[in-house]
Amino acid sequence: MAERAVRAVRAVRGAVQLDRDEAEHMNERVGRLLTTVLERNNLSTEDLISIWFTATPDLHSDFPAAAARKLGIVDVPLICAQELEVAGAMPRVVRILAHTETELPRSGINHVYLGAAAALRKDIAQ
């Protein structure tokens, strides 16, 4: 009998900065963020448990979770919330916290910060 790999629940972080507050632009950028998170961690949508999205208070054009639905992520619980409004914080940022099942150890998770958002977490940005 072959050994099965141990799968664990892991959290993957990510963020992207938008150039402007427009629904189509948000869907494109957030879609790219989600696709990159899946690719860099060798995950499929079947591995997703849930995704939390936050958006800075200056984003109003759409729900970031709409981008996930457009990618076909339709049977995964998604929720959106507003990021804290902190003076001097980077504007127009969508962040994600995706819960997954994976064989990767915690140290093997690739957190994804695209473009200017990489400055948010230089310690873990890939």
Side-chain angles (χ1 to χ4, degrees):
M1 185 164 160
E3 275 189 50
R4 288 183 53 181
V6 176
R7 292 178 59 87
V9 175
R10 301 283 183 229
V12 184
R13 293 282 320 264
V16 65
Q17 185 181 40
L18 280 59
D19 296 329
R20 58 195 174 279
D21 184 23
E22 295 175 0
E24 187 174 316
H25 181 62
M26 179 182 291
N27 284 322
E28 184 271 324
R29 288 281 173 97
V30 174
R32 184 168 359 131
L33 174 63
L34 291 168
T35 300
T36 304
V37 163
L38 293 173
E39 288 172 355
R40 289 190 187 170
N41 289 286
N42 197 29
L43 298 169
S44 73
T45 57
E46 292 297 313
D47 299 318
L48 294 171
I49 296 169
S50 64
I51 306 173
W52 283 79
F53 296 84
T54 64
T56 51
D58 52 3
L59 295 175
H60 309 101
S61 62
D62 202 356
F63 295 100
R69 298 294 185 224
K70 288 181 180 185
L71 287 176
I73 302 172
V74 295
D75 61 350
V76 174
L78 308 174
I79 192 164
C80 297
Q82 189 174 70
E83 192 70 36
L84 294 173
E85 189 168 2
V86 176
M90 185 179 287
R92 300 177 316 281
V93 174
V94 173
R95 292 171 173 85
I96 67 163
L97 178 63
H99 301 95
T100 69
E101 288 184 304
T102 179
E103 297 170 9
L104 291 173
R106 187 175 287 144
S107 62
I109 296 295
N110 291 297
H111 304 282
V112 177
Y113 290 78
L114 298 178
L120 295 171
R121 290 298 307 263
K122 293 177 184 171
D123 57 327
I124 63 172
Q126 303 293 314

